[in-house]
Amino acid sequence: MEIQSNFSLKNHNTFGIEAKAKQFVAVHSVDELKTILEENKNAKKFVLGGGSNMLLTKDIEALVIHIDLKGKKIIKEDDDFVWVESQAGETWHDFVLYTIDNNFGGLENMSLIPGNVGTTPVQNIGAYGTEIKDTFVSCEAMNIETQEIKTFTNTECNFGYRESIFKNEVKDQYIITSVIYKLTKRNHKINTSYGDITAELAKNNVTTPTLKDVSNAVIAIRQSKLPDPKELGNSGSFFKNPILLKSDFEKIHQKFPEMKYYEVSETEVKVPAGWLIEQAGFKGKRFGDAGVHKNQALVLVNYGNATGQEILAVSREVQKTVFEKFGIHIEAEVNVI
Protein backbone atom coordinates (compact mmCIF):
# COMPACT_ATOMS: atom_id res chain seq x y z
CA MET A 1 0.00 0.00 0.00
CA GLU A 2 1.47 3.28 -1.08
CA ILE A 3 0.43 6.50 0.63
CA GLN A 4 0.56 9.30 -1.93
CA SER A 5 0.84 13.01 -1.10
CA ASN A 6 -0.95 15.98 -2.67
CA PHE A 7 -3.19 13.55 -4.60
CA SER A 8 -5.82 14.82 -7.07
CA LEU A 9 -9.36 13.66 -6.27
CA LYS A 10 -10.81 14.84 -9.61
CA ASN A 11 -11.30 11.24 -10.80
CA HIS A 12 -12.58 10.12 -7.40
CA ASN A 13 -15.72 12.27 -7.20
CA THR A 14 -18.59 12.14 -9.69
CA PHE A 15 -18.89 15.94 -9.80
CA GLY A 16 -15.38 15.95 -11.32
CA ILE A 17 -14.28 18.69 -8.90
CA GLU A 18 -10.57 19.39 -8.74
CA ALA A 19 -9.51 19.05 -5.10
CA LYS A 20 -6.40 17.64 -3.50
CA ALA A 21 -5.94 15.11 -0.71
CA LYS A 22 -3.07 15.83 1.66
CA GLN A 23 -2.48 12.06 1.61
CA PHE A 24 -4.25 9.23 -0.24
CA VAL A 25 -4.23 5.46 0.00
CA ALA A 26 -6.42 2.74 -1.54
CA VAL A 27 -7.15 -0.37 0.56
CA HIS A 28 -8.11 -3.69 -1.04
CA SER A 29 -8.77 -5.89 2.00
CA VAL A 30 -9.95 -5.69 5.59
CA ASP A 31 -6.40 -6.49 6.73
CA GLU A 32 -4.99 -3.57 4.70
CA LEU A 33 -7.62 -1.27 6.19
CA LYS A 34 -6.74 -2.42 9.70
CA THR A 35 -3.02 -1.84 9.06
CA ILE A 36 -3.56 1.68 7.69
CA LEU A 37 -5.73 2.63 10.65
CA GLU A 38 -3.27 1.16 13.17
CA GLU A 39 -0.26 2.87 11.58
CA ASN A 40 -1.98 6.25 11.29
CA LYS A 41 -3.81 6.42 14.61
CA ASN A 42 -3.19 10.13 15.14
CA ALA A 43 -3.75 11.24 11.56
CA LYS A 44 -6.97 12.96 10.54
CA LYS A 45 -8.85 10.57 8.26
CA PHE A 46 -11.40 10.87 5.48
CA VAL A 47 -13.14 7.76 4.12
CA LEU A 48 -13.85 7.68 0.38
CA GLY A 49 -16.05 5.20 -1.46
CA GLY A 50 -17.30 5.79 -4.99
CA GLY A 51 -17.33 9.57 -4.53
CA SER A 52 -20.92 9.77 -5.75
CA ASN A 53 -22.68 11.44 -2.87
CA MET A 54 -20.39 14.30 -2.02
CA LEU A 55 -19.51 17.81 -3.09
CA LEU A 56 -15.89 18.78 -2.48
CA THR A 57 -15.67 22.48 -1.70
CA LYS A 58 -12.02 22.46 -0.56
CA ASP A 59 -8.87 20.36 -0.42
CA ILE A 60 -8.95 17.49 2.08
CA GLU A 61 -6.34 18.13 4.77
CA ALA A 62 -6.36 14.50 5.89
CA LEU A 63 -5.38 10.95 4.99
CA VAL A 64 -8.00 9.93 2.42
CA ILE A 65 -8.66 6.17 2.65
CA HIS A 66 -10.27 4.86 -0.54
CA ILE A 67 -12.29 1.70 0.19
CA ASP A 68 -11.64 -0.63 -2.76
CA LEU A 69 -12.71 -3.98 -1.27
CA LYS A 70 -14.05 -6.29 -3.99
CA GLY A 71 -15.99 -9.57 -4.05
CA LYS A 72 -19.47 -11.00 -3.65
CA LYS A 73 -20.79 -14.40 -2.60
CA ILE A 74 -23.91 -16.30 -1.60
CA ILE A 75 -23.71 -17.05 2.11
CA LYS A 76 -27.06 -18.80 2.59
CA GLU A 77 -30.15 -19.78 0.62
CA ASP A 78 -33.38 -21.72 0.82
CA ASP A 79 -36.16 -22.39 -1.69
CA ASP A 80 -37.47 -18.83 -1.56
CA PHE A 81 -34.61 -16.53 -0.55
CA VAL A 82 -30.89 -16.00 -1.00
CA TRP A 83 -28.55 -14.06 1.27
CA VAL A 84 -25.86 -12.34 -0.79
CA GLU A 85 -22.81 -10.62 0.69
CA SER A 86 -20.99 -7.90 -1.23
CA GLN A 87 -17.76 -6.17 -0.31
CA ALA A 88 -18.04 -2.42 0.17
CA GLY A 89 -15.96 -1.42 -2.87
CA GLU A 90 -18.16 -3.14 -5.44
CA THR A 91 -19.89 -0.74 -7.84
CA TRP A 92 -23.57 -0.66 -6.86
CA HIS A 93 -25.01 -0.88 -10.38
CA ASP A 94 -22.73 -3.80 -11.28
CA PHE A 95 -23.90 -5.57 -8.14
CA VAL A 96 -27.55 -4.95 -9.03
CA LEU A 97 -26.97 -6.40 -12.52
CA TYR A 98 -25.30 -9.44 -10.93
CA THR A 99 -28.40 -10.08 -8.79
CA ILE A 100 -30.70 -9.71 -11.81
CA ASP A 101 -28.55 -12.04 -13.95
CA ASN A 102 -29.01 -14.63 -11.20
CA ASN A 103 -32.77 -13.93 -10.97
CA PHE A 104 -32.49 -12.59 -7.43
CA GLY A 105 -35.22 -10.02 -6.77
CA GLY A 106 -35.34 -6.90 -4.64
CA LEU A 107 -32.81 -4.43 -6.02
CA GLU A 108 -34.02 -3.98 -9.60
CA ASN A 109 -35.78 -0.63 -8.94
CA MET A 110 -32.46 0.80 -7.76
CA SER A 111 -30.59 0.12 -11.00
CA LEU A 112 -28.10 2.75 -12.20
CA ILE A 113 -27.84 4.59 -8.86
CA PRO A 114 -24.22 5.82 -8.74
CA GLY A 115 -21.82 4.83 -5.99
CA ASN A 116 -20.51 1.75 -4.24
CA VAL A 117 -22.19 -0.94 -2.13
CA GLY A 118 -20.59 0.25 1.11
CA THR A 119 -22.38 3.59 1.04
CA THR A 120 -25.86 2.18 0.40
CA PRO A 121 -26.76 1.71 4.10
CA VAL A 122 -25.34 5.13 5.04
CA GLN A 123 -27.89 6.92 2.89
CA ASN A 124 -30.55 4.20 2.91
CA ILE A 125 -30.57 4.78 -0.85
CA GLY A 126 -33.82 4.29 -2.71
CA ALA A 127 -35.67 4.79 -5.96
CA TYR A 128 -39.06 4.08 -7.52
CA GLY A 129 -40.75 2.79 -4.38
CA THR A 130 -37.92 0.72 -2.86
CA GLU A 131 -35.19 1.43 -0.33
CA ILE A 132 -32.14 -0.45 0.93
CA LYS A 133 -33.88 -1.15 4.25
CA ASP A 134 -36.35 -3.42 2.38
CA THR A 135 -33.63 -6.01 1.57
CA PHE A 136 -30.78 -5.11 3.94
CA VAL A 137 -29.93 -7.81 6.52
CA SER A 138 -26.73 -6.50 8.10
CA CYS A 139 -23.36 -4.94 7.43
CA GLU A 140 -19.91 -5.34 8.91
CA ALA A 141 -18.03 -2.18 9.82
CA MET A 142 -14.61 -1.48 11.28
CA ASN A 143 -14.29 0.83 14.25
CA ILE A 144 -11.81 3.51 13.16
CA GLU A 145 -10.34 3.89 16.68
CA THR A 146 -10.12 0.26 17.79
CA GLN A 147 -10.10 -1.59 14.42
CA GLU A 148 -12.70 -4.00 15.82
CA ILE A 149 -15.34 -5.34 13.44
CA LYS A 150 -18.95 -4.82 14.47
CA THR A 151 -22.08 -6.19 12.80
CA PHE A 152 -25.00 -3.78 12.44
CA THR A 153 -28.42 -5.40 11.89
CA ASN A 154 -31.26 -3.77 9.97
CA THR A 155 -32.91 -2.62 13.19
CA GLU A 156 -29.68 -1.27 14.64
CA CYS A 157 -29.11 0.90 11.55
CA ASN A 158 -32.13 3.12 12.46
CA PHE A 159 -33.05 3.59 8.81
CA GLY A 160 -35.13 6.60 7.79
CA TYR A 161 -35.65 8.56 4.59
CA ARG A 162 -32.03 8.91 3.36
CA GLU A 163 -30.97 8.46 6.97
CA SER A 164 -29.19 5.87 9.10
CA ILE A 165 -27.15 5.49 12.27
CA PHE A 166 -24.04 6.11 10.13
CA LYS A 167 -25.16 9.68 9.39
CA ASN A 168 -26.12 10.33 13.00
CA GLU A 169 -25.21 8.44 16.19
CA VAL A 170 -22.00 6.76 14.92
CA LYS A 171 -21.04 9.25 12.22
CA ASP A 172 -17.28 9.14 11.41
CA GLN A 173 -16.76 6.24 13.84
CA TYR A 174 -17.03 3.24 11.48
CA ILE A 175 -16.02 2.16 7.98
CA ILE A 176 -18.44 -0.29 6.34
CA THR A 177 -16.55 -3.23 4.82
CA SER A 178 -19.34 -5.52 3.58
CA VAL A 179 -23.14 -5.72 3.30
CA ILE A 180 -25.60 -8.64 3.25
CA TYR A 181 -28.91 -8.46 1.38
CA LYS A 182 -31.82 -10.92 1.50
CA LEU A 183 -33.28 -11.32 -2.00
CA THR A 184 -36.07 -13.40 -3.48
CA LYS A 185 -35.44 -16.45 -5.67
CA ARG A 186 -39.07 -16.86 -6.73
CA ASN A 187 -42.44 -15.16 -6.18
CA HIS A 188 -40.69 -11.84 -6.79
CA LYS A 189 -42.52 -8.73 -5.61
CA ILE A 190 -42.39 -6.75 -8.83
CA ASN A 191 -42.92 -3.07 -7.98
CA THR A 192 -44.12 -1.02 -10.95
CA SER A 193 -46.32 1.36 -8.94
CA TYR A 194 -44.45 4.45 -10.09
CA GLY A 195 -46.05 5.94 -13.20
CA ASP A 196 -42.76 6.34 -15.06
CA ILE A 197 -42.05 2.60 -14.86
CA THR A 198 -45.60 1.70 -15.92
CA ALA A 199 -45.34 4.03 -18.92
CA GLU A 200 -41.90 2.72 -19.93
CA LEU A 201 -43.09 -0.90 -19.76
CA ALA A 202 -46.21 -0.06 -21.78
CA LYS A 203 -44.04 1.66 -24.40
CA ASN A 204 -42.14 -1.60 -24.80
CA ASN A 205 -45.36 -3.69 -24.82
CA VAL A 206 -44.36 -5.49 -21.60
CA THR A 207 -47.45 -6.75 -19.77
CA THR A 208 -45.86 -9.32 -17.41
CA PRO A 209 -42.58 -7.72 -16.39
CA THR A 210 -39.56 -9.70 -15.21
CA LEU A 211 -36.83 -8.36 -12.92
CA LYS A 212 -34.80 -7.57 -16.03
CA ASP A 213 -37.74 -5.70 -17.61
CA VAL A 214 -38.11 -3.49 -14.51
CA SER A 215 -34.36 -2.87 -14.36
CA ASN A 216 -34.25 -1.97 -18.05
CA ALA A 217 -37.19 0.40 -17.59
CA VAL A 218 -35.51 2.11 -14.64
CA ILE A 219 -32.24 2.41 -16.57
CA ALA A 220 -34.05 3.94 -19.56
CA ILE A 221 -35.88 6.44 -17.32
CA ARG A 222 -32.74 7.43 -15.44
CA GLN A 223 -30.72 7.81 -18.64
CA SER A 224 -33.43 10.03 -20.14
CA LYS A 225 -33.49 12.31 -17.10
CA LEU A 226 -30.08 12.08 -15.48
CA PRO A 227 -26.71 12.92 -17.02
CA ASP A 228 -23.89 10.36 -17.08
CA PRO A 229 -21.25 11.60 -14.56
CA LYS A 230 -18.53 10.53 -17.01
CA GLU A 231 -19.90 13.05 -19.50
CA LEU A 232 -21.29 15.75 -17.21
CA GLY A 233 -20.18 16.00 -13.59
CA ASN A 234 -23.03 15.44 -11.12
CA SER A 235 -23.99 13.52 -8.03
CA GLY A 236 -27.48 12.39 -8.97
CA SER A 237 -30.24 13.92 -6.88
CA PHE A 238 -28.71 16.83 -4.96
CA PHE A 239 -31.76 17.46 -2.76
CA LYS A 240 -34.10 15.33 -0.65
CA ASN A 241 -37.83 15.40 -1.34
CA PRO A 242 -39.24 17.36 1.63
CA ILE A 243 -41.67 15.57 3.94
CA LEU A 244 -44.31 17.85 5.49
CA LEU A 245 -47.00 17.47 8.09
CA LYS A 246 -50.37 17.27 6.34
CA SER A 247 -51.63 20.23 8.37
CA ASP A 248 -48.75 22.40 7.11
CA PHE A 249 -48.99 21.09 3.57
CA GLU A 250 -52.72 21.82 3.31
CA LYS A 251 -52.12 25.53 3.91
CA ILE A 252 -49.45 25.62 1.20
CA HIS A 253 -51.58 23.51 -1.13
CA GLN A 254 -54.42 26.01 -0.94
CA LYS A 255 -52.08 28.66 -2.39
CA PHE A 256 -50.56 26.23 -4.94
CA PRO A 257 -53.29 23.69 -5.83
CA GLU A 258 -51.20 22.35 -8.72
CA MET A 259 -48.44 21.20 -6.33
CA LYS A 260 -47.71 17.49 -6.62
CA TYR A 261 -47.47 15.32 -3.51
CA TYR A 262 -47.49 11.73 -2.25
CA GLU A 263 -48.90 10.47 1.03
CA VAL A 264 -46.24 8.76 3.15
CA SER A 265 -48.32 8.27 6.32
CA GLU A 266 -51.58 9.34 7.91
CA THR A 267 -49.96 12.58 9.04
CA GLU A 268 -47.26 13.29 6.42
CA VAL A 269 -46.89 13.96 2.70
CA LYS A 270 -43.84 14.07 0.45
CA VAL A 271 -43.46 16.86 -2.09
CA PRO A 272 -41.19 16.32 -5.14
CA ALA A 273 -38.25 18.70 -4.74
CA GLY A 274 -37.67 18.60 -8.50
CA TRP A 275 -41.14 20.08 -9.08
CA LEU A 276 -40.50 22.86 -6.54
CA ILE A 277 -37.14 23.73 -8.13
CA GLU A 278 -38.60 23.70 -11.63
CA GLN A 279 -41.49 25.95 -10.58
CA ALA A 280 -38.96 28.30 -8.99
CA GLY A 281 -37.42 28.75 -12.45
CA PHE A 282 -34.13 26.90 -12.07
CA LYS A 283 -34.50 23.95 -14.45
CA GLY A 284 -31.78 24.23 -17.10
CA LYS A 285 -30.39 27.43 -15.58
CA ARG A 286 -26.63 27.89 -15.81
CA PHE A 287 -24.30 29.99 -13.66
CA GLY A 288 -20.91 29.87 -15.37
CA ASP A 289 -19.80 26.23 -15.29
CA ALA A 290 -22.27 25.31 -12.51
CA GLY A 291 -25.97 24.81 -13.09
CA VAL A 292 -29.22 22.88 -12.81
CA HIS A 293 -29.75 20.07 -15.31
CA LYS A 294 -32.10 20.73 -18.21
CA ASN A 295 -33.95 17.40 -17.87
CA GLN A 296 -34.09 16.99 -14.09
CA ALA A 297 -34.16 19.96 -11.73
CA LEU A 298 -33.05 17.81 -8.77
CA VAL A 299 -29.62 17.43 -10.36
CA LEU A 300 -26.90 20.06 -10.08
CA VAL A 301 -24.13 19.78 -12.68
CA ASN A 302 -20.55 20.75 -13.40
CA TYR A 303 -20.27 21.82 -17.04
CA GLY A 304 -16.49 21.54 -16.94
CA ASN A 305 -14.49 23.62 -14.54
CA ALA A 306 -16.91 24.60 -11.78
CA THR A 307 -15.52 24.64 -8.27
CA GLY A 308 -17.31 23.00 -5.37
CA GLN A 309 -17.94 26.44 -3.91
CA GLU A 310 -19.67 27.53 -7.13
CA ILE A 311 -21.97 24.49 -7.11
CA LEU A 312 -22.66 25.04 -3.41
CA ALA A 313 -23.63 28.66 -4.16
CA VAL A 314 -26.14 27.45 -6.79
CA SER A 315 -27.63 24.98 -4.29
CA ARG A 316 -28.07 27.72 -1.70
CA GLU A 317 -29.71 30.03 -4.22
CA VAL A 318 -32.12 27.21 -5.14
CA GLN A 319 -32.95 26.58 -1.47
CA LYS A 320 -33.45 30.28 -0.78
CA THR A 321 -35.75 30.85 -3.78
CA VAL A 322 -37.84 27.71 -3.15
CA PHE A 323 -38.34 28.78 0.48
CA GLU A 324 -39.30 32.32 -0.52
CA LYS A 325 -41.82 31.05 -3.09
CA PHE A 326 -43.37 28.08 -1.26
CA GLY A 327 -42.31 28.33 2.39
CA ILE A 328 -40.73 24.87 2.07
CA HIS A 329 -37.13 24.15 3.01
CA ILE A 330 -35.36 21.58 0.82
CA GLU A 331 -32.36 19.81 2.31
CA ALA A 332 -29.25 18.68 0.46
CA GLU A 333 -29.02 14.90 0.08
CA VAL A 334 -25.39 15.21 -0.98
CA ASN A 335 -22.70 15.50 1.69
CA VAL A 336 -20.99 18.87 1.41
CA ILE A 337 -17.31 18.57 2.36
Side-chain angles (χ1 to χ4, degrees):
M1 289 176 293
E2 181 190 358
I3 295 181
Q4 301 177 70
S5 299
N6 200 31
F7 185 86
S8 172
L9 296 172
K10 188 177 176 72
N11 294 325
H12 286 274
N13 71 97
T14 59
F15 261 117
I17 299 292
E18 180 54 81
K20 295 278 200 300
K22 182 180 179 183
Q23 292 182 302
F24 177 91
V25 65
V27 295
H28 307 97
S29 70
V30 171
D31 286 341
E32 285 188 2
L33 176 59
K34 184 178 180 187
T35 300
I36 283 292
L37 292 175
E38 283 176 341
E39 292 178 353
N40 296 273
K41 270 193 181 295
N42 297 322
K44 190 177 175 187
K45 302 168 192 74
F46 180 91
V47 181
L48 177 65
S52 65
N53 196 52
M54 66 179 190
L55 174 64
L56 294 173
T57 62
K58 59 191 175 187
D59 291 339
I60 305 297
E61 295 296 322
L63 169 61
V64 173
I65 303 173
H66 175 43
I67 306 302
D68 199 25
L69 283 62
K70 302 290 187 185
K72 46 193 177 290
K73 64 183 179 182
I74 294 169
I75 57 168
K76 188 170 98 172
E77 62 184 308
D78 58 26
D79 290 342
D80 296 306
F81 297 100
V82 60
W83 286 254
V84 184
E85 180 181 57
S86 172
Q87 296 300 301
E90 287 286 340
T91 302
W92 171 252
H93 180 58
D94 290 346
F95 178 65
V96 173
L97 294 182
Y98 157 80
T99 66
I100 290 165
D101 287 344
N102 283 279
N103 197 36
F104 301 155
L107 305 180
E108 57 281 351
N109 289 50
M110 291 180 280
S111 298
L112 212 63
I113 292 178
N116 289 355
V117 167
T119 53
T120 61
V122 179
Q123 285 287 113
N124 182 25
I125 67 166
Y128 299 104
T130 62
E131 291 180 313
I132 279 303
K133 68 177 178 59
D134 303 330
T135 53
F136 177 95
V137 176
S138 63
C139 66
E140 289 196 339
M142 184 176 289
N143 185 299
I144 293 172
E145 287 299 313
T146 66
Q147 291 80 59
E148 292 174 351
I149 294 284
K150 174 176 168 60
T151 299
F152 288 87
T153 64
N154 189 309
T155 304
E156 288 170 333
C157 285
N158 294 344
F159 288 127
Y161 174 56
R162 304 296 173 266
E163 290 287 347
S164 74
I165 193 173
F166 301 105
K167 288 183 75 175
N168 297 292
E169 297 95 323
V170 298
K171 186 178 181 182
D172 299 328
Q173 294 177 37
Y174 287 89
I175 297 172
I176 294 170
T177 56
S178 64
V179 186
I180 297 173
Y181 304 91
K182 181 183 177 184
L183 307 173
T184 53
K185 288 171 66 177
R186 61 183 185 183
N187 301 321
H188 303 305
K189 293 176 182 172
I190 303 288
N191 183 347
T192 60
S193 57
Y194 270 67
D196 285 354
I197 296 181
T198 307
E200 186 66 28
L201 292 171
K203 191 170 85 177
N204 294 306
N205 298 315
V206 176
T207 52
T208 311
T210 63
L211 300 177
K212 186 75 172 169
D213 290 329
V214 174
S215 174
N216 286 342
V218 169
I219 290 169
I221 294 162
R222 290 184 75 90
Q223 286 178 334
S224 71
K225 290 182 176 180
L226 304 173
D228 183 343
K230 293 179 185 135
E231 297 169 9
L232 188 63
N234 75 91
S235 195
S237 298
F238 195 93
F239 300 101
K240 296 179 186 178
N241 292 317
I243 295 175
L244 309 177
L245 287 172
K246 277 188 179 175
S247 54
D248 293 334
F249 172 74
E250 280 160 9
K251 294 171 195 165
I252 299 169
H253 201 219
Q254 284 176 354
K255 285 178 69 178
F256 302 96
E258 71 282 11
M259 184 179 288
K260 300 186 178 186
Y261 67 96
Y262 308 95
E263 289 198 10
V264 291
S265 72
E266 287 183 9
T267 58
E268 295 176 319
V269 299
K270 185 187 292 184
V271 178
W275 185 90
L276 296 171
I277 297 164
E278 186 173 345
Q279 297 304 308
F282 283 96
K283 190 174 182 181
K285 206 165 181 180
R286 184 167 173 167
F287 306 81
D289 264 6
V292 180
H293 193 246
K294 61 183 169 78
N295 294 339
Q296 173 52 272
L298 265 182
V299 178
L300 303 189
V301 294
N302 174 8
Y303 286 103
N305 295 305
T307 66
Q309 287 288 352
E310 288 168 340
I311 289 169
L312 180 61
V314 172
S315 76
R316 286 175 172 163
E317 186 62 28
V318 168
Q319 288 172 312
K320 175 173 166 282
T321 307
V322 166
F323 185 77
E324 287 171 351
K325 184 175 176 68
F326 298 106
I328 296 173
H329 176 66
I330 53 172
E331 284 182 58
E333 182 175 323
V334 168
N335 296 308
V336 177
I337 311 298

